[in-house]
Amino acid sequence: MTISAPGKLMLFGEHAVVYGYPCIVTAISERLEVAIAQADDMPKDRRFVDAAIQAWGGGKNLKLSTKSAFSGKYGFGSSSAVTVATLKALKPDADNRKVFDAAYKIILNIQGVGSGFDVAAAIYGGTLYFVTGGKVIEPLAVSDMPLVVGYTGVKADTKTLIADVAGKRAKEAEKVDRIFKAIGKIVDEAKIKMLEGDWERVGRLMDFDQDYLRDLGVSSEKLEAMIKAAKGAGAYGAKLSGAGGGDCMIALASLDKRKAVEEAVTRAGGEVVHVAPNAEGVRVEP
Ligand code: PMV
């Protein structure tokens, strides 16, 4: 049996979501596959797969192979996708909530931190309004999101960036909490405007979110250069996506500006990654 799960891109609300605020995440067209069969050996080198087998494999001898359409370098969430796909392969009938709780537990055990937004994207797919730990997982009927994605060439270290923000909050609690609250408000408006398809306003909201992320200290020169280039070429707005420090930036651009925005991102030293948002969640492959 082969199961696949999509990667993800954070659209709004990163970092604040670790502290109980909402975020918006979209599942992307790049998928990761797990094939499973009875066998005598078990791969020992795959922490997430092994932890999933330990949780749901019932001690069976299972042979697993994984195949990913996306490189781990982009920060598209390969760990959560592989965890979700493996759990689903072990118990295809488990409902989404059960898979979420088990996968999130595994991710927390191995990584120590995280809101679980990436796990939710891998399971449910589409575009989700998500609150920390899956307190809210609300699918948003969004269509035709004109998304441009650019990779910085720098691998982000999510754990360190989360720790940096925690350090900043320990020193400047009031300021950082004010930023989180403001980001939460942006996320709530973005949800409404995305449902309306008002991409111009959603782009502005991306700019506001990016201002706060810069204040939090998680942007980088490269991210800023690519964001500036995208906006200079006519994007509605742009921001970093995920923990920051590197990985990807995202922009929204109308169809007629798309090519110019992609070229500007490339000129700024970025690598344009062609992925479609709103992809289907975990599924059994035929
Ligand atoms: O670096 P990524 O793409 O895994 O995104 C991390 C987003 C954070 O909000 C910083 C952490 C989280 O788990 O929500």
Side-chain angles (χ1 to χ4, degrees):
M1 178 166 45
T2 300
I3 305 276
S4 78
K8 53 79 187 150
L9 276 170
M10 181 73 100
L11 300 178
F12 285 97
E14 45 273 269
H15 288 290
V17 68
V18 176
Y19 295 85
Y21 294 90
C23 72
I24 298 176
V25 57
T26 196
I28 56 168
S29 46
E30 304 289 286
R31 307 184 75 82
L32 185 142
E33 281 185 3
V34 169
I36 190 161
Q38 289 281 134
D40 315 321
D41 62 329
M42 230 207 264
K44 290 273 183 287
D45 55 335
R46 297 182 179 151
R47 289 181 303 162
F48 295 98
V49 169
D50 287 347
I53 292 176
Q54 234 169 31
W56 278 10
K60 274 181 260 155
N61 279 337
L62 297 166
K63 184 175 157 60
L64 274 130
S65 61
T66 61
K67 194 171 84 192
S68 179
F70 54 90
S71 155
K73 75 177 182 181
Y74 295 124
F76 286 162
S78 48
S79 310
S80 41
V82 80
T83 308
V84 165
T86 306
L87 288 173
K88 195 75 182 173
L90 294 165
K91 281 192 195 171
D93 295 333
D95 67 34
N96 283 345
R97 187 72 223 188
K98 253 187 129 168
V99 179
F100 178 86
D101 290 339
Y104 185 43
K105 203 167 141 196
I106 288 169
I107 301 279
L108 281 185
N109 277 342
I110 295 177
Q111 286 179 347
V113 280
S115 64
F117 79 105
D118 41 5
V119 175
I123 296 169
Y124 295 83
T127 298
L128 304 171
Y129 177 87
F130 176 90
V131 178
T132 328
K135 282 195 222 36
V136 179
I137 303 176
E138 185 186 338
L140 303 178
V142 170
S143 57
D144 303 325
M145 193 188 326
L147 197 66
V148 174
V149 182
Y151 177 58
T152 55
V154 181
K155 180 87 204 84
D157 182 355
T158 302
K159 214 170 157 174
T160 303
L161 285 151
I162 292 176
D164 289 350
V165 171
K168 197 175 172 77
R169 187 166 180 261
K171 273 195 245 136
E172 304 173 83
E174 217 174 295
K175 181 185 165 187
V176 171
D177 284 337
R178 212 174 331 116
I179 291 176
F180 288 159
K181 214 168 165 179
I183 290 176
K185 274 201 176 142
I186 290 171
V187 172
D188 283 334
E189 190 188 336
K191 172 181 158 183
I192 295 166
K193 295 298 165 187
M194 286 175 72
L195 289 170
E196 289 173 3
D198 183 350
W199 302 117
E200 196 169 338
R201 180 65 187 165
V202 177
R204 288 288 289 154
L205 293 168
M206 281 188 172
D207 291 345
F208 296 149
D209 196 352
Q210 177 62 22
D211 288 342
Y212 287 117
L213 290 165
R214 191 182 305 115
D215 277 358
L216 277 181
V218 297
S219 194
S220 72
E221 265 180 45
K222 187 72 178 277
L223 281 164
E224 291 298 327
M226 289 164 66
I227 288 165
K228 191 171 162 206
K231 294 206 312 181
Y236 292 132
K239 63 184 277 297
L240 65 85
S241 171
D247 278 357
C248 291
M249 53 73 73
I250 52 174
L252 288 177
S254 60
L255 218 57
D256 57 318
K257 297 271 168 57
R258 185 176 189 98
K259 195 157 175 276
V261 169
E262 289 186 352
E263 281 168 6
V265 167
T266 307
R267 267 198 308 277
E271 172 193 339
V272 173
V273 193
H274 291 280
V275 295
N278 246 328
E280 199 187 333
V282 68
R283 68 178 182 221
V284 179
E285 292 295 327

